[in-house]
Amino acid sequence: MAHAPSPFRQRDLTKMVKAFRAAGLRVTGGKFDPQTGKLEVVSEPEQAQVPAPLDAWMAKHGSRET
């Protein structure tokens, strides 16, 4: 007896994850429904890193020699 073709393709999930990352989202998980073939990627927005005051000052002034 032959198996039905799988509705899940690894390349589809890979494309989804790459698209989420390109949009600035951090992928935290995923779900797949084998009966419907529905893929769901769970994500959260990336948090911008706020530089420490000393790091901001160093970036602005650099390492100038006096």
Side-chain angles (χ1 to χ4, degrees), residues 24-40:
L25 300 171
R26 185 169 64 101
V27 176
T28 59
K31 298 178 185 177
F32 171 68
D33 183 357
Q35 295 193 347
T36 63
K38 180 181 172 184
L39 291 172
E40 183 178 332

Side-chain angles (χ1 to χ4, degrees), residues 21-59:
R21 288 181 178 166
L25 300 171
R26 185 169 64 101
V27 176
T28 59
K31 298 178 185 177
F32 171 68
D33 183 357
Q35 295 193 347
T36 63
K38 180 181 172 184
L39 291 172
E40 183 178 332
V41 176
V42 180
S43 67
E44 60 186 43
E46 290 277 345
Q47 292 187 354
Q49 298 244 336
V50 179
L54 178 59
D55 293 335
W57 186 89
M58 290 295 292

